[in-house]
């Protein structure tokens, strides 16, 4: 179910290793990757080597490098010396893989899955049987509780921005969320032609500043396969602490984007005569959202006791994504084990459930709390798909040929030492 990057990686590996035996259903006829927020200037936050297959099989025909080669642009790509791959180009690569893989079938919306000894998958125009199913449909937009009930054409999640195309000219706009998406939305608004710009933009974030992604070498060891297994073996309390402590390893703003925002603000403040009012509000929480005629009134709290009212004609929520059990699993929902808001999974990413052990449901990109920061990231895309394929074929997980991380397991354990927490030790 789904042929986004996660399941597309699995489809490529199955196609090259087996040729048949699987079918990948996706509701899209033509592949699009987050089309509602695909800004022209958006860049990947990871290396282009973290594509569908390279890190488990660099000889594959489905690599990003082979895509460039087959489309006659490999030398041009090298000469362009991009600091990061444009998301638009990576989307073209994913679409190329989507279209050329015979196991992928677009235009198929899954409506229901039941189990009666085998899985029964019903789409709008077909009923299919399967021994195992793999769910890789991504996450849903996260709308914080204070905004629920107000969503519409003038209050919406950033993932819908390019679908809704709100008329922002001379309007008061508030962007909520201080991560990469919030920064890209701000760039999109400030970069509009002068005759189409908002009257004002307020950028609000709970974080104390607009903080950069931690893309340093030792932090990136957290995105290696060996660490994913190490994270899964931690206690639940340690996993939660770890995710809070290293949030900026996956949820910060790329430094190139931060520079682009600052330069845009500089140009806007000093070099352009027709300016809109831009207010940056880090370190604040949106407590309430209420109706104010055709607009919305947001109550911001700075610190503990300082409050501010912001009235906005348009509110854009760059508030991230969250897991949700897909509606097509409702007939089986009470048979699936959960941990908080995640389906409980084993080492092979199969869900714990009360059915036969040789009939399994695998999930991809839905286990941040159990597998760590790399789970929603492209970093372990190919490795995770390979582990699922090994399990489907009854193979032991293949030993990773990669040299282990330089940070030893005992050092990771010390991160949760109470003395270290207090800053003690040498």
């Amino acid at each position: 179910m789904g042929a986004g990057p996660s399941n597309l990686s699995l489809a490529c590996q199955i196609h090259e290793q087996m040729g048949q035996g699987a079918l990948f259903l996706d509701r899209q006829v033509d592949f699009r990757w987050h089309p509602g927020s695909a800004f022209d200037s958006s860049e990947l936050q990871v290396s282009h080597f973290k594509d569908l297959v390279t890190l488990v099989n660099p000889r594959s025909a489905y690599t990003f490098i082979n895509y460039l080669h087959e489309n006659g642009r490999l030398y041009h790509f090298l000469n362009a010396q991009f600091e990061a791959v444009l998301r638009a180009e990576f989307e073209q690569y994913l679409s190329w893989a989507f279209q050329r893989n015979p196991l992928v079938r677009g235009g198929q919306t899954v409506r229901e899955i039941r189990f009666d000894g085998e899985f029964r998958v019903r789409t709008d125009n077909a009923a299919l049987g399967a021994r195992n199913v793999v769910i890789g449909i991504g996450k849903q937009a996260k709308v914080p509780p204070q905004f629920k009930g107000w969503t519409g054409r003038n209050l919406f999640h950033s993932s819908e921005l390019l679908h809704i195309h709100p008329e922002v000219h001379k309007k008061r706009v508030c962007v909520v969320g201080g991560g990469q998406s919030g920064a890209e939305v701000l760039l999109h608004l400030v970069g509009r032609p002068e005759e189409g710009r908002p009257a004002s933009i307020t950028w609000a974030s709970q974080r104390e500043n607009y903080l950069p992604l931690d893309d340093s070498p030792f932090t990136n060891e957290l995105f290696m396969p060996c660490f994913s297994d190490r994270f899964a073996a931690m206690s639940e309390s340690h996993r939660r602490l770890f995710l809070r402590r290293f949030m900026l390893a996956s949820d910060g703003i790329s430094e190139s984007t931060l520079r682009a925002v600052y330069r845009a603000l500089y140009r806007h403040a000093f070099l352009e005569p027709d300016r809109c009012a831009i207010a940056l509000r880090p370190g604040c929480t949106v407590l309430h959202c209420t109706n104010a005629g055709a607009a919305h009134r947001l109550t911001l709290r700075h610190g503990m006791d300082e409050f501010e009212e912001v009235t906005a004609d348009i509110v854009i929520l760059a508030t991230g994504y969250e897991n949700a059990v897909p509606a097509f699993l409702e007939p089986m929902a009470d048979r699936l084990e959960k941990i908080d808001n995640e389906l409980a999974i084993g080492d092979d990413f199969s869900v714990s459930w009360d059915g036969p052990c040789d009939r399994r449901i695998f999930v991809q990109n839905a286990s941040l709390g159990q597998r760590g920061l790399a789970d929603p990231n492209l970093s372990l895309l190919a490795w995770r798909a390979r582990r699922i394929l090994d399990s489907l074929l009854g193979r032991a997980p293949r030993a990773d040929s990669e040299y282990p991380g330089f940070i030893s397991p005992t050092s990771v354990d010390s991160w949760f030492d109470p003395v270290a927490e207090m800053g003690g030790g040498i």
Side-chain angles (χ1 to χ4, degrees), residues 364-403:
Q364 301 217 57
N365 184 18
S367 309
L368 172 72
Q370 298 169 80
R371 298 300 307 196
L373 295 166
D375 192 69
N377 186 281
L378 295 177
S379 296
L380 297 184
L381 196 73
W383 169 81
R384 180 177 60 203
R386 186 183 69 178
R387 177 165 285 192
I388 290 172
L389 180 55
D390 285 342
S391 182
L392 285 168
L393 296 179
R395 302 187 302 216
R398 250 175 289 185
D400 202 313
S401 59
E402 191 73 18
Y403 189 85

Side-chain angles (χ1 to χ4, degrees), residues 297-310:
R297 183 173 295 112
L298 280 60
T299 303
L300 309 184
R301 183 181 69 193
H302 304 262
M304 295 300 295
D305 54 7
E306 185 179 345
F307 300 89
E308 177 185 3
E309 299 286 338
V310 173

Side-chain angles (χ1 to χ4, degrees), residues 159 171 268 313:
S159 61
K171 298 289 183 67
H268 193 63
D313 303 301

Side-chain angles (χ1 to χ4, degrees), residues 8-37:
L8 195 51
S9 174
L10 181 60
C12 293
Q13 294 185 49
I14 291 178
H15 179 225
E16 292 196 315
Q17 291 188 41
M18 300 166 58
Q20 57 184 2
L23 184 64
F24 291 79
L25 306 176
D26 197 281
R27 64 185 178 186
Q28 300 184 108
V29 176
D30 298 312
F31 182 91
R32 296 297 308 277
W33 193 32
H34 302 302
S37 56

Side-chain angles (χ1 to χ4, degrees), residues 83-404:
E83 291 185 10
V85 176
L86 292 171
R87 285 180 65 91
E89 180 159 40
F90 206 74
E91 181 187 50
Q92 289 181 12
Y93 156 66
L94 296 173
S95 178
W96 169 82
F98 182 97
Q99 297 297 339
R100 73 181 297 178
N101 193 312
L103 304 181
V104 175
R105 186 178 297 174
Q108 298 287 329
T109 300
V110 175
R111 298 299 181 186
E112 182 182 81
I113 301 179
R114 295 183 178 273
F115 184 79
D116 62 2
E118 74 170 353
F119 294 102
R120 305 292 180 183
V121 181
R122 183 177 63 83
T123 70
D124 286 335
N125 51 20
L128 307 167
R131 291 175 57 87
N132 303 282
V133 295
V134 185
I135 299 169
I137 60 169
K139 300 176 182 294
Q140 69 177 16
K142 181 178 180 180
V143 177
Q146 58 268 45
F147 298 104
K148 289 183 176 175
W150 299 112
T151 54
R153 288 198 62 82
N154 65 347
L155 192 157
F156 51 87
H157 193 267
S158 60
S159 61
E160 295 295 315
L161 177 56
L162 299 183
H163 293 318
I164 293 175
H165 283 295
E167 177 51 63
V168 299
H169 181 51
K170 297 299 183 184
K171 298 289 183 67
R172 298 162 296 181
V173 180
C174 183
V175 180
V176 179
Q180 181 73 15
S181 295
E184 291 180 353
V185 170
L186 183 74
L187 275 177
H188 173 73
L189 296 171
V190 174
R192 292 176 64 85
E194 289 186 20
E195 63 274 12
R197 283 186 188 150
S200 67
I201 304 170
T202 301
W203 185 17
S205 172
Q206 283 187 304
R207 298 175 187 177
E208 62 272 22
N209 206 338
Y210 301 104
L211 300 172
L213 180 77
D214 184 352
D215 193 29
S216 55
F218 290 106
T219 296
N220 279 333
E221 288 219 338
L222 308 180
F223 295 86
M224 294 175 63
C226 57
F227 188 80
S228 178
D229 286 333
R230 197 179 303 164
F231 182 89
M234 293 178 186
S235 68
E236 189 172 344
S237 60
H238 281 179
R239 291 200 301 262
R240 288 176 178 171
L241 176 61
F242 180 91
L243 291 175
R244 287 198 303 270
R245 183 179 292 177
F246 289 95
M247 176 183 67
L248 292 175
S250 66
D251 200 23
I253 305 172
S254 298
E255 287 201 25
S256 60
T257 304
L258 284 172
R259 285 194 296 272
V261 169
Y262 203 92
R263 289 168 182 169
L265 296 177
Y266 182 94
R267 288 194 305 270
H268 193 63
F270 303 122
L271 304 176
E272 298 174 352
D274 187 17
R275 298 178 296 170
C276 68
I278 299 177
L280 304 186
R281 294 289 185 268
C284 70
T285 302
V286 180
L287 292 180
H288 307 291
C289 174
T290 57
N291 187 264
H296 289 90
R297 183 173 295 112
L298 280 60
T299 303
L300 309 184
R301 183 181 69 193
H302 304 262
M304 295 300 295
D305 54 7
E306 185 179 345
F307 300 89
E308 177 185 3
E309 299 286 338
V310 173
T311 301
D313 303 301
I314 296 172
V315 179
I316 303 173
L317 305 176
T319 45
Y321 298 84
E322 61 186 356
N323 290 330
V325 175
F328 57 69
L329 277 180
E330 279 303 317
M332 302 171 52
D334 60 347
R335 306 185 65 177
L336 310 177
E337 185 178 333
K338 295 187 73 176
I339 298 177
D340 293 332
N341 67 333
E342 297 179 356
L343 293 173
I345 60 167
D347 290 342
D348 64 351
F349 296 90
S350 65
V351 178
S352 300
W353 75 307
D354 65 1
C357 60
D358 62 343
R359 298 291 185 270
R360 288 163 296 168
I361 304 165
F362 298 84
V363 292
Q364 301 217 57
N365 184 18
S367 309
L368 172 72
Q370 298 169 80
R371 298 300 307 196
L373 295 166
D375 192 69
N377 186 281
L378 295 177
S379 296
L380 297 184
L381 196 73
W383 169 81
R384 180 177 60 203
R386 186 183 69 178
R387 177 165 285 192
I388 290 172
L389 180 55
D390 285 342
S391 182
L392 285 168
L393 296 179
R395 302 187 302 216
R398 250 175 289 185
D400 202 313
S401 59
E402 191 73 18
Y403 189 85

